[in-house]
Amino acid sequence: MPHIYPLPAAAAAILLLTASGGPARAQAPTLTALTPAPNARAVPRSAAVVATFSQPLTAASAGALKVFSGQRGGLRGSAGTVAGPTLSFAPTAYDFRPGETVQLTVTRGAASAGGPLAAPRVQQFTTAVGGTGRGTFAQGFDLASINQPNAVAIGDVTNDNLPDMLATNRNGSTLSWYFGDGRGSYLTREELAVGINPADVALGDLNGDGNLDFVTANSTSGTLSVRLGAGTGVFAPPAGVPEPVVGGNPTGLALGDLDGDGDLDVVVTGSNGISLVWLLNDGAGNFGPRLVLGGNGDAGDVALADVDNDGDLDALTANGGGLVGVYFNPGTGAFGSLLNLPLSGGPARLALGDLDADGLPDVAVSCSSAGTVCLGHNLGGGRFAFGQALTVGPMPRGVVLGDVDADGDLDLAVGTFIGQRLGIWANDGAGVFSSLSTQPASGNLDGLALGDLDNDGDLDLLATSFGTNTLLSRLNDGTGPLALAAAPARPALAVYPNPAHGQVQLHLPTAARAELLDALGRVLRTVPAPAGTATLDVAGLAPGLYLVRAAGQVARLVVE
């Protein structure tokens, strides 16, 4: 039986007064139930989202339900299904991804004959995982990066059901895009230009076209780089729009619908007076104006969830000076009241999720100077009590929540920046954690992400190694399609400049014949070359997307 969640009084519609002695006037609808429940943590991947109202809805209400995946397909469907008093969306084309956080909004576009819904509703849930992995991450690849990778995101940006990976290069001006092969391997890479020293990256459908886009927080240039995806691996900034300026030194960001209008907005944290910055989306991927709350010290990370259960997304920040900041959203995206939670030990990164199955999002905070991860349980109303502290090793930074042992609750993975250790902690279902495994990992671990890299239904792990310029890909129990001896990393086929016209330079890992293919896989041009650099002529080709194939690797090339 589906969980029916009663809505707070704040979401009820205002009743119309009746005329004295006359018939009752029509009333606007109220939202009486919404499934899956907010912050549910093991929702079947094929589950429908169903909103139930007090009255039958108009046909035009179909567009009022927005369901967002951050790992495949972005905005899932342009409209829901209206049937009397219900509005629903079912992921019939393909299921949600294992263990992903799905965001949804019921906008004020839901209406009956009596008028529109008085207040929107925004909430999140986490999908279930399967597979045979039980939280031991041993097998995988170490992937060469460009320059000090420190943040990573997982998502299928080419709509081929093969999870890709995006990683920031903190000491540069690029984002590395690794093409997934569905086996947990990422041996082909492309560099995408962004602002100076990108510190964080997030994936989401920013313009509502059903394709994943990305945004980076650029710490030195003080900007956001917004890149809209075409679903083919081609990314471009919004036409004619300069990069949004956030100021200071932005280091963390998160995407979510802050104002309940059905598109994804952005929140940013950093230093030099930008404790919290947010920019609202116009629906086309254009962000502004810049809204700021300062005075809370430097903040290194931010996450979004409805911590006070009033139907909108609030923001939590990790402030290295000894605070976790809770910024409450009144539903309009105009953050106002702030609750500071003292937390010693140098809060660095945080992750939100329901750890104890009470329907409220809790928080896990990596406390860098204390060598612990501190667990804060939500007491209701956005108040948190910090109890269990997990001793994880010197200078923990990256922390992420996910069901790595497939038992229906959220476990924890953490990496240490010093000491080179990766720790996995199992949740007993009630928010009490015990160590599941600890293993050495090369370099200074910084950013972590969980996702099904090999399409076997369980959660695998990606970690950035800041000091060794590598990314670590680790399969859950090594039981997926790649259950064989880990292959050594090999140099990637590189194509530059990209986009290009006239000629492109190729860097070949071995002596091989390089082929240029069109989008249908037809070979258009070839060039034999030894290992090293070769030149490929693309003059006279029609603008569009092409493929370069050599030495068993494939790279995408955009010809202008």
Side-chain angles (χ1 to χ4, degrees):
M1 178 178 295
H3 183 99
I4 304 299
Y5 187 78
L7 297 175
I14 300 173
L15 298 179
L16 299 178
L17 298 177
T18 59
S20 176
R25 295 172 58 190
Q27 298 177 356
T30 59
L31 184 56
T32 59
L34 183 57
T35 61
N39 307 305
R41 55 188 190 177
V43 175
R45 293 172 52 204
S46 59
V49 176
V50 181
T52 304
F53 298 82
S54 60
Q55 302 171 31
L57 300 179
T58 64
S61 300
L65 179 58
K66 309 294 184 182
V67 181
F68 288 94
S69 167
Q71 291 196 11
R72 188 183 180 197
L75 178 62
R76 293 292 307 270
S78 59
T81 300
V82 174
T86 65
L87 174 58
S88 62
F89 166 79
T92 53
Y94 50 88
D95 292 345
F96 296 117
R97 294 292 298 170
E100 72 165 319
T101 297
V102 177
Q103 302 191 46
L104 67 96
T105 302
V106 181
T107 73
R108 296 187 72 249
S112 69
L117 184 69
R121 177 81 184 185
V122 181
Q123 65 187 50
Q124 304 175 128
F125 62 87
T126 301
T127 59
V129 303
T132 58
R134 294 299 178 262
T136 302
F137 297 90
Q139 180 180 311
F141 292 91
D142 289 357
L143 310 173
S145 183
I146 296 296
N147 206 334
Q148 297 182 328
N150 72 311
V152 64
I154 298 170
D156 179 8
V157 299
T158 52
N159 294 324
D160 58 1
N161 198 31
L162 303 176
D164 306 303
M165 174 177 64
L166 301 179
T168 58
N169 293 299
R170 180 65 184 262
N171 192 20
S173 299
T174 65
L175 183 81
S176 294
W177 169 26
Y178 296 77
F179 311 130
D181 66 355
R183 302 186 307 133
S185 173
Y186 294 83
L187 295 181
T188 305
R189 184 186 70 215
E190 185 174 312
E191 300 303 313
L192 306 174
V194 293
I196 303 173
N197 301 143
D200 203 0
V201 59
L203 279 166
D205 187 354
L206 305 178
N207 58 354
D209 65 350
N211 300 308
L212 289 179
D213 314 304
F214 73 82
V215 57
T216 63
N218 308 313
S219 61
T220 297
S221 55
T223 61
L224 301 178
S225 291
V226 178
R227 300 293 184 265
L228 303 180
T232 59
V234 177
F235 291 91
V241 179
E243 292 199 335
V245 175
V246 295
N249 299 107
T251 55
L253 62 81
L255 296 174
D257 187 357
L258 303 179
D259 52 3
D261 64 350
D263 53 45
L264 298 180
D265 310 302
V266 63
V267 292
V268 187
T269 54
S271 58
N272 294 334
I274 62 166
S275 295
L276 188 72
V277 173
W278 66 101
L279 299 94
L280 300 181
N281 188 350
D282 68 356
N286 304 311
F287 292 90
R290 171 180 178 262
L291 303 168
V292 185
L293 278 178
N296 205 36
D298 297 347
D301 197 15
V302 63
L304 293 170
D306 183 8
V307 299
D308 55 0
N309 194 31
D310 63 352
D312 52 52
L313 295 179
D314 310 298
L316 267 69
T317 62
N319 299 63
L323 294 173
V324 170
V326 183
Y327 294 83
F328 294 103
N329 182 359
T332 61
F335 292 101
S337 58
L338 167 65
L339 175 64
N340 279 325
L341 307 175
L343 184 63
S344 62
R349 302 276 179 86
L350 52 79
L352 290 169
D354 183 7
L355 303 180
D356 51 12
D358 63 355
L360 299 173
D362 308 298
V363 62
V365 186
S366 61
C367 294
S368 183
S369 61
T372 62
V373 172
C374 301
L375 304 177
H377 290 273
N378 193 333
L379 304 177
R383 297 173 298 116
F384 291 84
F386 286 94
Q388 186 180 14
L390 312 176
T391 300
V392 297
M395 203 172 180
R397 288 185 59 80
V399 61
V400 64
L401 296 171
D403 186 5
V404 300
D405 54 8
D407 64 353
D409 53 42
L410 299 180
D411 309 302
L412 182 145
V414 59
T416 61
F417 197 77
I418 297 175
Q420 303 178 354
R421 291 161 60 181
L422 176 66
I424 307 298
W425 294 74
N427 186 350
D428 69 354
V432 178
F433 287 77
S434 58
S435 179
L436 184 61
S437 66
T438 301
Q439 58 184 277
S442 60
N444 312 102
L445 301 188
D446 198 359
L448 300 182
L450 290 169
D452 184 7
L453 305 181
D454 52 6
N455 282 340
D456 65 348
D458 53 35
L459 292 181
D460 308 302
L461 179 68
L462 288 173
T464 63
S465 178
F466 191 84
T468 60
N469 286 337
T470 56
L471 293 107
L472 313 180
S473 166
R474 296 291 182 263
L475 300 185
N476 196 338
D477 282 1
T479 54
L482 198 59
L484 43 83
R490 56 191 170 120
L493 168 66
V495 181
Y496 53 91
N498 193 1
H501 53 81
Q503 291 183 333
V504 295
Q505 300 300 308
L506 308 180
H507 177 78
L508 302 175
T510 61
R513 184 180 75 165
E515 300 174 324
L516 180 69
L517 295 82
D518 63 14
L520 298 177
R522 297 174 296 193
V523 177
L524 303 179
R525 297 177 184 179
T526 63
V527 55
T533 300
T535 301
L536 178 63
D537 185 14
V538 297
L541 294 177
L545 177 66
Y546 295 83
L547 301 176
V548 177
R549 182 171 62 194
Q553 300 184 44
V554 177
R556 290 168 172 81
L557 170 66
V558 178
V559 174
E560 296 181 329

